[in-house]
Amino acid sequence: MRMGLSRLKKYFVIMINTIESLTEYRLNFILDSVRILVPLIILVFLWRAVYQSSSPGVSIGGYNLSQMITYYIISRWLSGINDYDLDWKVWSDIKDGGLSAYLIRPIEYFHWYIASSVAAKIRQAIIGLFLITVFSLFVRGNVIVQSNPWVIVLFLLSVALSLLLNITIAFLRAITAFWFQESGGLVWIENTLISMMAGALVPLDLFPSVVFRIVRFMPFQALMYFPVSVYLGGLSRGALGGIVIQLLWLVFFFLAVKVIWARGIRRYIAAGG
């Protein structure tokens, strides 16, 4: 029992230290604000123009104007959280040998990464929530405020699982540094494709039906499209099933991390890391 509490205390200290280090610079808050708000403003005004040029009461892909604007507000909030990964730190530690200092500590590196990433994402979630709340006041006539407590609970659960899934995928991508020297261009392409398949650019419902059927069975839709759909109430019957799928994907990627990390560490130590 004491050992378990001691371990939890270590993770809590890591999270506090991460949040403190991220809040030291005011410039970070300004950059975070720009990164969240600028794309959101552009998208909202773009879709407003699209709907205003159409027939009154028209829906696009099953979304009316309020649903579409709410979709982008929540998806930008999730993007602001998910985009803030510490995978660059993992990549740097492996390449520069900094990983060696962590290997002698009484805590697994992956667990350190999870604690640090969760702390960073909590900070981003709070900042993003403040920003989108202020933004929503200016478009309040077109924002859906969910009042169903059951839907809110399912939404928050799906968000928590999407963040853990994002953390695990990002770590899995970062530990490819055990084998590859550089991957800047590859990571950029991968992030763009994941954003598209997650529903960050447009709701997945707007994709051609064949593409939508394929993408909905991939893990990336669980990062953004699924949580937003839960909030909008469009998956009221299938929400629990979707959350189970999120859990299954999380277990899959967690096990993949364990396997690939074990092989990568052997390679790292053999190379004198």
Side-chain angles (χ1 to χ4, degrees):
M1 181 68 177
R2 287 184 178 180
M3 185 178 295
L5 291 175
S6 176
R7 186 171 297 178
L8 287 175
K9 185 178 179 180
K10 290 178 183 178
Y11 295 142
F12 183 73
V13 171
I14 291 171
M15 294 174 69
I16 294 298
N17 291 338
T18 300
I19 292 175
E20 287 179 349
S21 66
L22 291 173
T23 53
E24 286 180 356
Y25 304 102
R26 294 181 180 178
L27 179 61
N28 287 343
F29 177 78
I30 297 173
L31 294 176
D32 291 338
S33 302
V34 171
R35 190 158 52 90
I36 293 173
L37 287 179
V38 171
L40 179 58
I41 292 171
I42 294 173
L43 288 168
V44 166
F45 277 96
L46 173 64
W47 281 106
R48 267 188 167 178
V50 170
Y51 278 91
Q52 288 172 358
S53 64
S54 305
S55 305
V58 69
S59 65
I60 300 176
Y63 294 83
N64 58 36
L65 177 58
S66 295
Q67 290 171 325
M68 189 66 78
I69 289 180
T70 304
Y71 180 96
Y72 277 106
I73 288 175
I74 299 177
S75 66
R76 280 312 305 164
W77 177 60
L78 290 173
S79 291
I81 303 171
N82 283 331
D83 289 348
Y84 207 94
D85 290 317
L86 298 177
D87 52 342
W88 59 269
K89 177 71 167 60
V90 178
W91 184 276
S92 176
D93 284 342
I94 294 173
K95 288 303 171 190
D96 300 338
L99 176 61
S100 300
Y102 288 90
L103 295 180
I104 60 176
R105 295 181 181 181
I107 183 173
E108 287 190 33
Y109 187 76
F110 182 41
H111 295 168
W112 165 85
Y113 175 81
I114 292 175
S116 299
S117 297
V118 168
K121 290 181 183 299
I122 289 175
R123 171 188 174 273
Q124 288 302 111
I126 294 172
I127 291 174
L129 186 61
F130 168 76
L131 293 173
I132 65 170
T133 299
V134 173
F135 178 80
S136 297
L137 295 176
F138 293 95
V139 291
R140 57 182 178 272
N142 295 123
V143 177
I144 296 174
V145 179
Q146 184 58 254
S147 58
N148 187 322
W150 175 239
V151 172
I152 294 174
V153 168
L154 291 176
F155 168 69
L156 293 177
L157 180 57
S158 68
V159 168
L161 290 173
S162 77
L163 300 186
L164 290 174
L165 186 58
N166 173 263
I167 289 171
T168 309
I169 292 174
F171 187 82
L172 183 62
R173 176 179 61 207
I175 60 178
T176 59
F178 285 124
W179 292 272
F180 301 105
Q181 292 297 320
E182 297 293 338
S183 66
L186 182 63
V187 169
W188 183 85
I189 294 173
E190 179 191 353
N191 285 338
T192 302
L193 291 175
I194 289 178
S195 294
M196 184 180 299
M197 291 186 289
L201 303 180
V202 294
L204 299 183
D205 313 71
L206 302 186
F207 285 7
S209 57
V210 175
V211 177
F212 176 64
R213 283 197 294 270
I214 295 173
V215 173
R216 67 182 298 189
F217 289 106
M218 293 183 177
F220 311 113
Q221 58 86 26
L223 298 175
M224 196 169 304
Y225 170 78
F226 174 69
V228 180
S229 297
V230 170
Y231 180 87
L232 293 176
L235 295 173
S236 56
R237 294 183 179 179
L240 285 176
I243 287 173
V244 170
I245 291 174
Q246 281 183 305
L247 282 169
L248 292 175
W249 277 119
L250 183 59
V251 170
F252 170 81
F253 282 109
F254 186 84
L255 293 176
V257 163
K258 289 293 185 180
V259 172
I260 295 175
W261 173 262
R263 294 182 179 180
I265 280 295
R266 287 197 295 269
R267 180 185 178 91
Y268 181 81
I269 294 174

